[in-house]
Each structure stands twice: as C-alpha cells, then as structure tokens.
Amino acid sequence: MNIEEPNQYLERVRQKRLRNQEKLNELGLTRFVTPEKTRLKKKTCITSSSKGEKTVHEPRRSSRVSKKPVDFIMLDHDSNAMATTTNEVTRAKSTKTVKKEVPSRRKVDLDKQISPRKRETFKNIDCEAWVSDMEYYLSELAGNSDSNVQRVMCTVRKLVSGEGVRHPQTQEYFHKNKAIHLGLDFRQMLDEATEWVYENGGDKGNGWLIEHPVKKLWLYQQARATNNNKPFSIVQVNRSR
C-alpha cells in the first residue's frame, strides 16, 4: 500500500501558523478578539388566503397604506418650476397655432360699362400708342404716384405682350399667350382676375399683382371713351402750344 508523502509547502504554512498563534498567546493578544454581533430577528407577519393557505411576509417598512397613492406636497421651488414649464408650453402652443390666412374675393363696384359697339372702335388702336397714352393719363391727369404708375404699367405691358402674369405662390399664369387690346371687356376681365387670385392662394400685395392694373385699364378705357376716343397726350401737346 502506497503512503502519500505530505505536501512540503502546506506543511510549512501550517507550521508558520502554529508559531504565529504561539507568539500571540505569549503577548496576550488573543484576549482582544471582538465578539460577533448578534443580529436582530426580523418580525414576520402571517396572512391566510381564502383557500386556507398561510403565507409569511416580511413587515412593511413604509408608513404608506398599501395600494394608496402617496400624497404630493408641492414645495416653493417645485411650484415655480411648474409655473415656468406651464408658461413655456403655453407659448409653444401659441406659436404653433398660427391661423392660416384665407384669401378673400375682392368686390369692386365700378360705374356703368361703355357699350360693346363703342368698345369695338377701340380694338384697332395701336397697342404701343394707347399704352404710352395710358401711362401719361395715370401720371399727369389721374394724379397717381410714380411708383403706382410704374407697377401698373409693368403689369399692363405683360398683358399686352401676351407674356401674362405669374402667381408667385403657384407659378400659374393669368392670360398667358393671350395678348390684350383696348377693346376688351375689362369689367369681365377684372372678375376673372379676382377669381384667379382666389384660386391660387390670394395676393399678398393687396391687389397689385393683377387686380389693380386691370382696374386701371378699365378706368382708362372709360376716360378714353369720354374723351371721344382721343389720346390725352395729344391734348396736352396742343395745350402747350
């Protein structure tokens, strides 16, 4: 039968521990060993179910009643923070809920129309001649400002050339490839312009996109008919002589 030889390393460790213990006994240090703390036993509560089974629970450490919400007590800094947050939310909602502008149809009450027969006599007037005379009439006789005359005549020239007027929002054109002449029914054209503006989202220029220029065309046509279809610029030249 083979006998295992003792592990030399473990034997040295055991001998060393014995020597250390003897040294502690000689010095009297073993008397200062602290006793182990005794742990308090937890109280337990026992509940029984409807089936007669008993369940052991640890006692609740919270003073709150079971299944009852905690009473919230607002401190001063909490109320200030909540008021600030409420104001910020209100401002955010007010900035988001911006009312969308709904375009409105303009109502223009003009005087009596000239007869279709008289308008027919204006049809063959040279376009460059009556456009130049209209600019003179608006600036010199009708008393319009220079900026208004420029805006009106810019649109009138687009209509005369057939270029048409483009809406800035939808890029749709009014009277594109339909060159106008002085014998048109500008009262009806004004109604068409108003409807076109409404269908394309309105006019942020308050009528200067197309409605004011067409109205000026109608007014010049009426004034020209009252003047027996004579240009106003010729009258002014004759007066200066």
Side-chain angles (χ1 to χ4, degrees), residues 62 64-65 68-73:
S62 174
R64 180 172 62 86
V65 180
K68 181 181 179 182
V70 180
D71 295 333
F72 176 71
I73 301 175

Side-chain angles (χ1 to χ4, degrees), residues 112-125 181-186 218-230:
K112 295 181 180 180
Q113 279 280 71
I114 61 176
S115 63
R117 182 181 297 179
K118 186 173 290 188
R119 284 201 308 270
E120 191 68 21
T121 61
F122 295 163
K123 184 176 180 180
N124 297 325
I125 300 177
H181 54 80
L182 195 57
L184 290 176
D185 186 351
F186 291 120
W218 183 88
L219 292 174
Y220 172 71
Q221 186 187 58
Q222 304 303 304
R224 184 79 178 247
T226 305
N227 199 37
N228 296 323
N229 199 7
K230 294 180 181 179

Side-chain angles (χ1 to χ4, degrees), residues 81-120:
M82 184 173 290
T84 304
T85 305
T86 305
N87 293 334
E88 291 177 355
V89 172
T90 305
R91 285 197 298 269
K93 288 183 178 179
S94 61
T95 54
K96 289 182 180 179
T97 56
V98 178
K99 292 184 178 179
K100 187 177 180 180
E101 295 182 0
V102 179
S104 59
R105 292 182 174 87
R106 295 178 181 274
K107 296 181 179 179
V108 182
D109 185 16
L110 300 179
D111 296 332
K112 295 181 180 180
Q113 279 280 71
I114 61 176
S115 63
R117 182 181 297 179
K118 186 173 290 188
R119 284 201 308 270
E120 191 68 21

Side-chain angles (χ1 to χ4, degrees), residues 10 28 55 69 87 109 130 151 154 174 205:
L10 295 178
T55 307
N87 293 334
D109 185 16
W130 71 259
R151 295 171 73 176
C154 179
F174 177 78

Side-chain angles (χ1 to χ4, degrees), residues 200-219:
N200 287 273
D203 179 11
K204 294 184 178 180
N206 296 323
W208 286 106
L209 178 63
I210 184 62
E211 292 169 290
H212 286 339
V214 175
K215 183 179 179 181
K216 297 295 184 182
L217 281 167
W218 183 88
L219 292 174

Side-chain angles (χ1 to χ4, degrees), residues 5-150:
E5 295 182 358
N7 191 319
Q8 295 181 0
Y9 174 75
L10 295 178
E11 185 65 23
R12 287 197 300 271
V13 172
R14 191 176 66 82
Q15 294 295 335
K16 187 175 182 181
R17 287 180 177 175
L18 291 174
R19 289 195 298 271
N20 290 338
Q21 188 64 33
E22 292 177 357
K23 189 67 174 177
L24 291 173
N25 294 334
E26 291 178 2
L27 297 175
L29 297 177
T30 55
R31 294 177 300 174
F32 299 102
V33 178
T34 56
E36 293 184 0
K37 294 182 179 180
T38 56
R39 296 184 179 180
L40 297 176
K41 293 183 178 181
K42 296 181 180 179
K43 296 181 179 180
T44 58
C45 59
I46 302 174
T47 58
S48 58
S49 62
S50 60
K51 297 181 181 181
E53 298 177 355
K54 293 184 179 181
T55 307
V56 180
H57 299 281
E58 292 186 3
R60 292 175 55 84
R61 296 183 179 180
S62 174
S63 59
R64 180 172 62 86
V65 180
S66 177
K67 297 182 180 180
K68 181 181 179 182
V70 180
D71 295 333
F72 176 71
I73 301 175
M74 185 180 292
L75 302 178
D76 292 338
H77 64 274
D78 292 335
S79 59
N80 294 334
M82 184 173 290
T84 304
T85 305
T86 305
N87 293 334
E88 291 177 355
V89 172
T90 305
R91 285 197 298 269
K93 288 183 178 179
S94 61
T95 54
K96 289 182 180 179
T97 56
V98 178
K99 292 184 178 179
K100 187 177 180 180
E101 295 182 0
V102 179
S104 59
R105 292 182 174 87
R106 295 178 181 274
K107 296 181 179 179
V108 182
D109 185 16
L110 300 179
D111 296 332
K112 295 181 180 180
Q113 279 280 71
I114 61 176
S115 63
R117 182 181 297 179
K118 186 173 290 188
R119 284 201 308 270
E120 191 68 21
T121 61
F122 295 163
K123 184 176 180 180
N124 297 325
I125 300 177
D126 183 68
C127 290
E128 293 184 4
W130 71 259
V131 168
S132 177
D133 187 66
M134 178 181 176
E135 184 174 3
Y136 173 84
Y137 170 79
L138 294 177
S139 60
E140 299 296 333
L141 302 180
N144 292 277
S145 64
D146 293 340
S147 60
N148 288 356
V149 173
Q150 291 177 2

